[in-house]
Amino acid sequence: MIKEEHEVINLGTPQNSGPMMSTVVNIQPDTAVPDHIVWSLFNTIFFNTCCLGFVAFAYSVKSRDRKMVGDVIGAQTYGSTAKCLNIWALVSGLLVIIGTVVTVIVIVVLQ
């Protein structure tokens, strides 16, 4: 095997004696604000009791819009409202389904 040797040349200090210029870029961290848009869409399609799923979807879209503009507080407010409406839509939809199934079973058994 051939071993190659490389010389390192010391160039010394920079020839320009002026002040060194530097640029500082402040990057703000992306705050993860959940907008619950997928959950809202699911509730709109399947559990739209009293239009709660549709209203939750509207708040989710507003939350996403606020997040794109950079309004983190507004996005969090709309996102938490969408989450609350999604919970209510899901619970009420499940109660309606369970009530329907129980009613059908009682009607079939009592006949």
Side-chain angles (χ1 to χ4, degrees), residues 78-94:
Y78 284 128
S80 66
T81 303
K83 180 181 177 181
C84 183
L85 289 171
N86 279 321
I87 291 171
W88 280 105
L90 185 65
V91 168
S92 64
L94 288 175

Side-chain angles (χ1 to χ4, degrees), residues 40-62:
S40 299
L41 184 62
F42 177 80
N43 283 337
T44 301
I45 294 171
F46 296 110
F47 297 116
N48 201 15
T49 309
C50 298
C51 294
L52 286 175
F54 180 72
V55 175
F57 185 73
Y59 274 98
S60 296
V61 171
K62 284 183 178 185

Side-chain angles (χ1 to χ4, degrees), residues 3-52:
K3 291 186 178 180
E4 296 180 9
E5 294 184 19
H6 300 284
E7 287 187 32
V8 178
I9 299 172
N10 188 0
L11 298 176
T13 60
Q15 301 299 325
N16 188 3
S17 62
M20 294 198 61
M21 302 290 288
S22 64
T23 303
V24 177
V25 178
N26 292 326
I27 300 174
Q28 296 179 354
D30 242 357
T31 306
V33 178
D35 52 15
H36 308 290
I37 199 156
V38 176
W39 188 13
S40 299
L41 184 62
F42 177 80
N43 283 337
T44 301
I45 294 171
F46 296 110
F47 297 116
N48 201 15
T49 309
C50 298
C51 294
L52 286 175

